[in-house]
Amino acid sequence: MDELFLKVCNMSITASYVVFVLLAIRLFLRKAPKKYSYVLWSIALFRFLCPVSFSSMFSLFQIKPFDMTVAQSGSGAGLNYIPANIGLMTTPKVTVGIPAMNAALSESLPAPAPYASANPMQIWIFIGSSIWLMGILILLTYNFVSYVRLKNRMDTAVLWKENIYESDKICSPFLLGFIHPKIYIPFGLGETERTFVLMHERYHLKRKDNLIKLFSFLVLLCHWFNPLAWLAYRLMVKDMEMSCDEKVLSEGGKGIAYAYSMSLLSFAANRRHLAESPLFFGEIGIRQRIKNVLSFQKPQRWVSVLAVILCIMTTVACAANPVQQIKEGMSGGEITGNYIFEEALYMNPLSSFMPFKDFKEYYTLTPDFLIVTDENGEQRKFPVSYNKEKVEEQAFEDSFSIKFSSLPNISDYKERYRYMLTDLPDARNYGIYQMDDEVWIASFYNADDTKQGESFWSIYKIKNFDGEIPLRRSIRGKTDGVEAFQALQKGFQSQYTDDLCYNITPEYIEKNSDYKIFKYGASCASFLLYEGEIYPLGEWFGGFGITSMVLNDLNEDGKAELYFTYSWGSGIHRSHAAYFDPAIEQVVAFTYSKQDGDLLVTDNDKGGVSLYDAAVLTMDNFSNFDIKGSKRISDIIYRNNEIKLDSFY
């Protein structure tokens, strides 16, 4: 219910902007027939009803001051001002499509409560959705009862002919019903008045206005909290009535205007109070209708042409979403992807290890990383850059410090290229060789006695791999930096007497970022230390706290985000995924949660991050355990200035 309520709120915001535009366009059309204004309200109806739309460079939202890059999600089909996961955000943020207003609105939202069992925003959303649903039920009940009472009141009406009934209980004509609608008129109407009334009501029936009004009213119920929805509905009904009046005048001639307006005036003067309901047609807005009747003139052709053009332009501008440049991420070049060991082409004789056919090792090449995964799922991750160069035979041979007859021969290959991936001091470096349609991965060690200053340690032939690479992560606690961290930490009170703190920062994250992650061994309370500030990571009561971490700069702002999974919950075990964004210095949680299971984040072959189902394999304590991933849930992507779970958009 909360998710549906937020979707309705998002549609209501978009529709509100459209209503403002239609109010302005309606002024330009004040001299044109009211049928054009009536048709335009269908755009507002579409925006109130449909959460998605097409994109166009002519969209209203393409112009300033609008900036929908934050609100636009996925392919741009929908505009999401209020994120679906706002209840789980450490710091809730919303947008209204106008950047100057976004900060003020976000600051007015309830402040997060990291140690509470529920985010205050979740409570407010639940209360809001409950009131919204209650309002729908109350309005629906009231109007249904009003409709039934009026229908019962017409039980004594007398059939005049066809679907026309006369009643002595009314002084004003109206149309009632949807499947088999009936026209009710007062007894004693003169011939002229009856003719006007029937022409008017029959035109309603011809256009199916009774069904349009019912449908519009049901949409209004969903947006009852929006005053602009009520205004749009009221004006739509007025334009509907006046367009019918104009139809009567067009068919009856200009000479009937005075008589027709006097009929409307008499209905208004003698009208008894009825429980006016949006579900039936009565005589409303009489004053404005009379003024419109008396001033009506059959429009010239050029007026109608301009009105049609204006309506078409308004329809496209208001119904379309803005065109957004979708950032799909880097392609990874021509060699990125997942590979698996096929055979060993060379091993340095000094090595005590020799990989045989049953050896399993996986290699993930992304635009930024080389990830080497063993058969147990343990990973090593290296930052890389792809420097492509041709391979000369002599240079290739010179890279072997120890030569023997079984060295790989590259003379038979026509296309020979090398990508030197890494250049790490005091570490083994990696390179990729493309030999025609074969791919090799080579590891080097520094050898200053060679011409190129490097020497092969191993060369493996590898092949593309489309299956799931085994995933295993380890949380290992150490004492490095703990004392300094606790000296900075204030306000944390553990419910455990012996709750030792550990540094659980993975080696790769420690070497390639300023992040340090700490976790308490008993309570599982997990924290991030970044640039002297401490940030709580997730919730931890009754769960395992942090279960996995990965470093990646998905938004390419030069500051890598920390992606992590965590679990909590006493009785019902819940696992979530989130990330810390150093640009805004906030933790943002994704909407997705898993009941009675764990999650794991890892790098993927697209250079991004993926979320997996997971299970704890071994556990010494909450700061020393192994977790294994299984089924992929979703990729975590960056699109339209937002980091999100791809499978849920």
Side-chain angles (χ1 to χ4, degrees):
M1 183 58 66
D2 292 353
E3 184 177 353
L4 178 60
F5 172 61
L6 293 180
K7 284 185 178 180
V8 170
C9 289
N10 284 323
M11 289 187 289
S12 208
I13 294 173
T14 302
S16 295
Y17 290 133
V18 172
V19 170
F20 277 122
V21 172
L22 295 183
L23 291 175
I25 297 298
R26 200 166 173 266
L27 295 177
F28 286 101
L29 293 174
R30 65 183 182 277
K31 298 296 184 180
K34 292 298 181 285
K35 62 182 179 181
Y36 298 113
S37 299
Y38 176 41
V39 169
L40 279 180
W41 289 115
S42 62
I43 310 171
L45 180 65
F46 168 74
R47 281 303 197 174
F48 276 118
L49 177 67
C50 189
V52 298
S53 184
F54 64 96
S55 297
S56 171
M57 64 180 295
F58 300 107
S59 171
L60 160 71
F61 304 106
Q62 199 81 39
I63 62 177
K64 297 296 182 181
F66 293 113
D67 183 354
M68 295 294 177
T69 53
V70 177
Q72 206 161 7
S73 67
S75 62
L79 297 174
N80 298 301
Y81 308 91
I82 306 173
N85 65 337
I86 190 171
L88 297 174
M89 285 183 175
T90 304
T91 303
K93 293 175 63 180
V94 299
T95 177
V96 290
I98 301 177
M101 300 173 61
N102 294 343
L105 286 172
S106 296
E107 289 175 2
S108 67
L109 298 177
Y115 305 109
S117 58
N119 193 316
M121 198 65 204
Q122 289 178 288
I123 299 173
W124 281 105
I125 292 173
F126 174 76
I127 294 173
S129 61
S130 300
I131 295 174
W132 169 68
L133 182 60
M134 189 181 302
I136 292 176
L137 294 176
I138 291 173
L139 288 170
L140 189 60
T141 301
Y142 171 78
N143 284 279
F144 178 75
V145 170
S146 299
Y147 178 82
V148 171
R149 283 181 176 177
L150 183 60
K151 193 171 180 62
N152 292 338
R153 189 176 178 182
M154 295 298 103
D155 285 345
T156 59
V158 177
L159 177 65
W160 182 56
K161 66 176 182 179
E162 298 175 352
N163 64 333
I164 306 167
Y165 290 78
E166 292 183 310
S167 174
D168 60 354
K169 295 183 179 181
I170 59 173
C171 293
S172 179
F174 59 86
L175 181 64
L176 187 66
F178 305 104
I179 306 301
H180 301 291
K182 300 173 182 178
I183 300 172
Y184 292 92
I185 60 176
F187 270 118
L189 283 183
E191 187 65 27
T192 301
E193 288 182 321
R194 181 185 290 129
T195 300
F196 293 157
V197 166
L198 296 182
M199 288 176 66
H200 181 99
E201 302 300 341
R202 282 168 176 162
Y203 191 55
H204 274 313
L205 292 177
K206 182 179 179 180
R207 294 192 311 191
K208 306 296 182 184
D209 284 343
N210 57 323
L211 298 179
I212 292 173
K213 191 174 183 182
L214 172 64
F215 184 71
S216 300
F217 175 69
L218 295 177
V219 174
L220 173 65
L221 287 182
C222 295
H223 298 269
W224 64 264
F225 55 86
N226 187 344
L228 289 173
W230 290 95
L231 176 62
Y233 180 83
R234 188 73 177 181
L235 293 178
M236 182 207 72
V237 173
K238 283 187 177 182
D239 289 339
M240 177 191 293
E241 294 295 336
M242 287 191 286
S243 64
C244 281
D245 293 336
E246 291 174 350
K247 182 66 174 178
V248 174
L249 295 175
S250 296
E251 294 184 354
K254 186 178 179 181
I256 70 169
Y258 178 77
Y260 188 75
S261 61
M262 292 304 295
S263 298
L264 293 177
L265 185 61
S266 65
F267 293 144
N270 298 318
R271 187 179 177 188
R272 296 175 188 171
H273 175 72
L274 290 173
E276 187 177 308
S277 167
L279 299 182
F280 74 92
F281 285 82
E283 301 300 326
I284 65 171
I286 298 296
R287 180 179 178 182
Q288 191 171 354
R289 288 175 61 187
I290 291 174
K291 290 176 63 177
N292 187 63
V293 167
L294 293 176
S295 63
F296 176 76
Q297 292 182 351
K298 199 165 186 178
Q300 298 180 22
R301 182 176 296 274
W302 68 269
V303 173
S304 297
V305 171
L306 288 179
V308 170
I309 294 174
L310 184 59
C311 287
I312 293 174
M313 293 173 60
T314 304
T315 299
V316 173
C318 293
N321 287 344
V323 174
Q324 293 281 325
Q325 183 68 35
I326 299 175
K327 181 178 179 181
E328 298 292 351
M330 297 179 65
S331 66
E334 53 189 350
I335 62 170
T336 55
N338 288 329
Y339 297 85
I340 189 173
F341 171 85
E342 186 173 5
E343 64 175 302
L345 301 178
Y346 170 78
M347 281 299 303
N348 190 297
L350 299 179
S351 173
S352 60
F353 172 74
M354 176 59 70
F356 295 101
K357 282 289 185 182
D358 59 348
F359 174 68
K360 288 185 179 180
E361 192 167 72
Y362 307 86
Y363 314 93
T364 300
L365 290 167
T366 79
D368 300 304
F369 302 106
L370 163 65
I371 304 168
V372 182
T373 308
D374 66 21
E375 61 182 332
N376 295 319
E378 294 289 352
Q379 290 188 338
R380 289 170 290 147
K381 183 176 177 182
F382 308 95
V384 299
S385 59
Y386 295 87
N387 300 312
K388 186 177 181 179
E389 57 187 24
K390 286 190 175 182
V391 177
E392 302 295 339
E393 287 188 57
Q394 189 59 50
F396 182 78
E397 292 178 4
D398 289 343
S399 293
F400 293 93
S401 59
I402 302 177
K403 299 178 174 62
F404 49 88
S405 59
S406 60
L407 295 178
N409 183 3
I410 66 171
S411 60
D412 293 333
Y413 295 95
K414 295 180 179 180
E415 298 291 331
R416 302 188 299 252
Y417 294 99
R418 181 179 82 158
Y419 296 83
M420 192 60 189
L421 302 180
T422 61
D423 185 13
L424 306 174
D426 303 323
R428 189 172 298 173
N429 292 300
Y430 288 88
I432 292 291
Y433 284 80
Q434 280 187 300
M435 299 297 186
D436 291 339
D437 57 351
E438 294 181 11
V439 180
W440 302 350
I441 185 169
S443 63
F444 304 88
Y445 66 93
N446 291 329
D448 295 335
D449 58 334
T450 66
K451 294 180 181 179
Q452 296 187 3
E454 62 190 20
S455 183
F456 285 117
W457 184 262
S458 66
I459 303 176
Y460 297 164
K461 183 180 177 182
I462 59 179
K463 61 183 178 180
N464 289 103
F465 180 69
D466 296 327
E468 290 287 350
I469 295 177
L471 299 173
R472 181 169 177 164
R473 295 290 180 274
S474 299
I475 295 292
R476 294 290 181 262
K478 53 189 178 183
T479 59
D480 299 352
V482 170
E483 186 175 346
F485 165 74
Q486 291 186 306
L488 288 172
Q489 189 180 34
K490 298 177 182 178
F492 175 70
Q493 297 277 339
S494 175
Q495 67 268 41
Y496 297 90
T497 56
D498 188 19
D499 199 3
L500 298 179
C501 183
Y502 296 93
N503 181 346
I504 61 167
T505 312
E507 181 180 357
Y508 173 79
I509 292 179
E510 193 166 28
K511 287 184 177 180
N512 293 276
S513 74
D514 294 327
Y515 298 135
K516 288 185 172 54
I517 301 94
F518 296 88
K519 185 177 183 181
Y520 285 83
S523 66
C524 295
S526 305
F527 298 91
L528 168 67
L529 175 62
Y530 176 70
E531 294 186 345
E533 296 292 331
I534 297 175
Y535 304 87
L537 298 180
E539 301 177 58
W540 44 78
F541 300 107
F544 299 151
I546 294 290
T547 53
S548 67
M549 293 161 278
V550 69
L551 193 67
N552 205 304
D553 185 13
L554 285 186
N555 59 18
E556 297 183 1
D557 62 356
K559 296 181 178 180
E561 305 87 44
L562 175 69
Y563 296 86
F564 62 94
T565 55
Y566 62 95
S567 65
W568 67 285
S570 179
I572 300 178
H573 189 79
R574 304 168 190 167
S575 292
H576 300 267
Y579 67 95
F580 175 80
D581 188 343
I584 59 176
E585 297 183 350
Q586 291 180 2
V587 174
V588 182
F590 296 108
T591 306
Y592 177 80
S593 66
K594 181 176 177 59
Q595 302 283 344
D596 299 322
D598 290 287
L599 299 171
L600 178 148
V601 284
T602 183
D603 300 282
N604 60 41
D605 60 333
K606 302 172 186 175
V609 179
S610 294
L611 181 66
Y612 283 79
D613 279 332
V616 173
L617 292 178
T618 61
M619 177 174 286
D620 297 331
N621 54 57
F622 293 129
S623 295
N624 288 277
F625 62 88
D626 296 311
I627 186 170
K628 184 176 182 180
S630 54
K631 180 183 177 183
R632 183 194 296 247
I633 296 172
S634 174
D635 289 335
I636 300 174
I637 62 169
Y638 178 72
R639 182 175 290 161
N640 294 330
N641 291 339
E642 185 179 358
I643 296 172
K644 60 185 71 175
L645 294 177
D646 189 33
S647 299
F648 300 96
Y649 289 85

